[in-house]
Amino acid sequence: MRLVASNAPEYPLRRSFKDHSLPRLTVLRLLAALAIPATSLYARAALPSPVQDPFDSVRAYVRRMMEERAIPSVAIAAAKGGRILWEEGFGWANKARQIKATAATMYSLASISKPITATGLMVLVERGKIGLDRPAEQYLKGARLTAREGRSADATVRLVANHTAGLPLHYQFFYSGALPARPSMNETIRRYGILVAPPGAQFTYSNLGFGIIDQIVERTSGLPFETFMRREVFQPLGLPRTAIVTAPIAGDTVAERYDGSGAPITWYDFDHRGASAVYSSAHDLARFGMFHLGDRLDGRAVLSPASLAEMHRPTVHRSETVGYGVGWQTFEDDNGAVSLGHSGGMPGVATILRIYPEADAVVVVLLNAGANDVAGRIAARVAAAMLPPQFGETLRQREGRGPDPAPDSFRPNGELVGEWNGTVRTWNGTVPLKLIIDAEGAARATLGDRPSAPVGGLRWQGGRLTGNLTGRLSTPDASRDTTAVFDVRLHESRLSGSVSSTLPNAHALSSYVMLVRRPAP
């Protein structure tokens, strides 16, 4: 792919279209030469109907949402046909310092980091350094996955990258100046790099998977992950305001993250940087999306069209119309359109990246507040301004129907009713667990030496039982009462999977659980 200069503007644009009406003198001379009376004809030529900017309604919606939800700032970029049509910032990137947001402001991206990290991975795949269908631990150089079920050798790089390797739910934030401190990645993998299901058996979204991917990139390339990404992805693609951020950064070009009360959030790091640690501007992220669409940009292509297609091809479906490839989600019914992309959400962050291959269009929406629903609605309106009218009509119909109905009440089948006993196997020892499910769908659990407690949020879907209870897992990094979320599958007359110690804005740390049903008396 040959890259040439782009027409994309360097700074945010307020107007998306220009008035191309002819000067008055030129019109009069033309009419005189044709012997046509100028009076009424010139009136129409001199006063053309103003061209309606299709993004004006989006601007009004953004301002209304910012006011209603106290969102500090929003940055947007929209591209089509290989050029950026609109990019603009709203509000304050930093409220205390009165720094306005622009399309050049760098925002924390959260999980949009995944397709970016996957792009770096594919650079090494294309060079023959990594095989997507080789065991992931082959490239970890000493760190090993622990298979509670299945075989670790079957957890390939591809399965790690599409969330089907068997890894459980995981996220962990390390706030500046607070404990615990971030452990080494070898230690994180030792503790939480566990397979709670056989590779390929189920889709479970796991940030640790992309923490493992960033280690595969680092240990194969011989460069720090952030250095490799800068040299081999960001610089060649012409993304100067994109970086893997591993330490606090400040300045007029960086958006502060804010909590629900509008207070700035202390800077935090992760043990899954490849999943969450990228910062980028709306302008840069739009260019990244344009590259994945095959648009011709100034810079150097870092991947071939074949590698891009391999990334975009869904190799698993997490729902009927939503798939996952190598770092990219696929949407087969995005208001009637087909799209690819990713969203991101964590403390002080809500982000959306969508690309529409048939329309050659990109949508980027970045917020420095945790309002994922608002980011999604803004992104849909930006897309509606560029895509065929059917998209907007479908969007209006779906929004008119309101939110999806709540799931039906839990009704257990005969295989689930009864008393289940077993253990939660943590990296620091085992904890007994008893789960009792009655025929009406009520359940109670006893975790460790805690009193029996009701189980909430029970749901049975696709052979998996999920729910939550208050409890404690006896590990130093999850040593206080948290919500214990379990996700187990029924197979071979047992329930097995994960129990995750979750604390809002802090962590979800998962351990393996296996339960067997007590025989009826």
Side-chain angles (χ1 to χ4, degrees):
M1 183 186 301
R2 186 171 63 90
L3 303 182
V4 299
S6 167
N7 293 323
E10 185 64 25
Y11 297 102
L13 297 181
R14 177 58 180 85
R15 296 178 180 172
S16 306
F17 300 93
K18 294 182 179 179
D19 180 2
H20 295 289
S21 56
L22 294 171
R24 176 186 177 93
L25 183 57
T26 301
V27 173
L28 290 173
R29 285 174 174 168
L30 287 171
L31 293 173
L34 295 171
I36 298 175
T39 52
S40 60
L41 290 176
Y42 177 73
R44 288 195 295 272
L47 299 172
S49 299
V51 177
Q52 179 66 41
D53 187 330
F55 299 110
D56 274 346
S57 63
V58 184
R59 292 185 179 93
Y61 184 79
V62 169
R63 293 185 178 106
R64 178 161 65 86
M65 287 294 98
M66 290 177 66
E67 183 176 358
E68 290 181 4
R69 298 287 292 272
I71 295 169
S73 75
V74 176
I76 297 174
K80 189 175 183 182
R83 66 188 185 93
I84 295 180
L85 301 182
W86 173 44
E87 52 183 5
E88 189 170 349
F90 303 80
W92 301 109
N94 189 303
K95 296 191 297 183
R97 297 173 58 196
Q98 297 286 279
I99 298 172
K100 291 183 178 181
T102 75
T105 302
M106 295 175 67
Y107 283 75
S108 173
L109 296 186
S111 285
I112 295 179
S113 302
K114 293 178 174 69
I116 295 174
T117 294
T119 300
L121 169 72
M122 289 301 293
V123 169
L124 294 172
V125 170
E126 197 168 90
R127 293 175 184 174
K129 303 293 186 181
I130 293 172
L132 282 178
D133 297 311
R134 299 292 300 167
E137 63 184 10
Q138 172 181 327
Y139 305 101
L140 290 176
K141 301 186 185 304
R144 299 189 65 84
L145 304 177
T146 301
R148 302 300 186 201
E149 294 195 9
R151 301 189 318 143
S152 62
D154 294 332
T156 64
V157 175
R158 187 190 302 276
L159 297 187
V160 172
N162 73 10
H163 301 284
T164 64
L167 293 163
L169 174 71
H170 181 90
Y171 58 84
Q172 192 167 18
F173 303 139
F174 300 93
Y175 289 86
S176 182
L179 295 175
R182 181 179 184 270
S184 69
M185 282 305 297
N186 278 357
E187 181 63 18
T188 291
I189 294 171
R190 183 186 75 82
R191 294 178 182 180
Y192 296 111
I194 58 174
L195 308 186
V196 300
Q202 64 187 35
F203 180 98
T204 301
Y205 191 84
S206 176
N207 282 311
L208 184 55
F210 274 82
I212 289 170
I213 294 294
D214 78 53
Q215 291 302 292
I216 289 173
V217 170
E218 181 169 299
R219 299 178 191 198
T220 301
S221 69
L223 295 172
F225 175 56
E226 55 269 30
T227 303
F228 177 87
M229 293 297 292
R230 183 178 67 252
R231 292 181 184 177
E232 303 296 338
V233 179
F234 305 151
Q235 289 179 346
L237 291 180
L239 309 178
R241 295 188 184 275
T242 305
I244 308 294
V245 177
T246 60
I249 56 175
D252 292 354
T253 61
V254 180
E256 185 82 63
R257 295 183 285 217
Y258 292 93
D259 65 19
S261 68
I265 297 173
T266 302
W267 188 86
Y268 52 85
D269 195 2
F270 325 86
D271 58 8
H272 42 82
R273 288 172 174 170
S276 312
V278 180
Y279 273 63
S280 187
S281 67
H283 179 83
D284 274 17
L285 195 54
R287 286 174 57 83
F288 176 77
M290 292 159 69
F291 163 68
H292 271 270
L293 285 172
D295 292 329
R296 296 155 65 96
L297 307 173
D298 56 307
R300 174 175 62 83
V302 298
L303 292 175
S304 67
S307 291
L308 295 176
E310 185 73 9
M311 294 183 71
H312 301 164
R313 179 173 64 89
T315 49
V316 64
H317 274 77
R318 59 185 305 181
S319 70
E320 185 176 349
T321 61
V322 180
Y324 212 99
V326 182
W328 285 87
Q329 289 194 90
T330 62
F331 304 90
E332 296 167 19
D333 183 14
D334 183 352
N335 292 303
V338 173
S339 69
L340 298 95
H342 221 291
S343 59
M346 59 190 189
V349 179
T351 57
I352 297 282
L353 166 64
R354 286 287 174 95
I355 63 176
Y356 296 85
E358 292 182 359
D360 192 15
V362 182
V363 174
V364 173
V365 177
L366 308 178
L367 279 64
N368 57 347
N372 296 76
D373 59 328
V374 174
R377 292 199 295 270
I378 293 172
R381 283 162 172 76
V382 176
M386 294 189 293
L387 301 185
Q390 294 88 338
F391 183 96
E393 292 168 5
T394 304
L395 173 63
R396 286 188 290 273
Q397 291 172 4
R398 290 179 173 175
E399 289 190 339
R401 291 199 299 262
D404 293 334
D408 294 336
S409 300
F410 173 65
R411 290 289 183 268
N413 59 34
E415 294 178 287
L416 292 175
V417 173
E419 179 180 316
W420 298 81
N421 290 277
T423 58
V424 180
R425 189 172 176 181
T426 78
W427 65 267
N428 197 45
T430 60
V431 181
L433 174 64
K434 179 168 68 175
L435 174 66
I436 301 174
I437 304 174
D438 68 25
E440 299 302 315
R444 298 188 68 84
T446 305
L447 180 62
D449 58 2
R450 306 289 291 178
S452 174
V455 176
L458 277 172
R459 190 175 182 191
W460 171 253
Q461 187 175 27
R464 291 166 72 173
L465 179 68
T466 56
N468 59 79
L469 64 145
T470 301
R472 175 182 298 175
L473 297 177
S474 57
T475 62
D477 49 0
S479 58
R480 54 178 167 159
D481 282 358
T482 60
T483 299
V485 176
F486 62 85
D487 179 353
V488 292
R489 63 192 182 100
L490 178 63
H491 62 109
E492 300 174 351
S493 301
R494 62 177 179 166
L495 293 171
S496 68
S498 64
V499 173
S500 307
S501 173
T502 64
L503 194 63
N505 300 333
H507 60 68
L509 303 173
S510 299
S511 301
Y512 177 68
V513 60
M514 197 272 284
L515 304 171
V516 296
R517 188 162 60 174
R518 180 179 178 180

